[in-house]
Amino acid sequence: MKNTLKIERAVKNITQEDLAKIIGVSRQTINAMEAGKYIPSTVLALKIAKYFEKKVEDIFLLESDD
């Protein structure tokens, strides 16, 4: 699963730490998601999408092998 978290953060000019505090996870969780090493739960994906005012599928993208 790919995502655009790093780009979305850059647009809002926030750090991984900032986003982590806003949605209630650790900075390491944000880092792992951005690196493609962690797939968020549905609730976490929805929280992220709500914060960025986007649809979940605009941020998280399934790859052909998912």
Side-chain angles (χ1 to χ4, degrees), residues 9-58:
R9 284 193 308 99
V11 169
K12 287 214 177 222
N13 196 30
I14 62 170
T15 65
Q16 289 181 342
E17 185 70 32
D18 295 334
L19 181 58
K21 286 179 183 175
I22 290 163
I23 61 172
V25 297
S26 70
R27 184 201 57 78
Q28 290 85 352
T29 298
I30 301 300
N31 183 274
M33 278 191 281
E34 287 184 5
K37 296 178 181 177
Y38 177 77
I39 297 172
S41 68
T42 304
V43 172
L44 185 53
L46 287 166
K47 284 182 180 181
I48 291 167
K50 183 176 180 180
Y51 173 74
F52 288 116
E53 299 176 335
K54 297 207 171 188
K55 293 187 279 183
V56 171
E57 56 266 35
D58 290 339

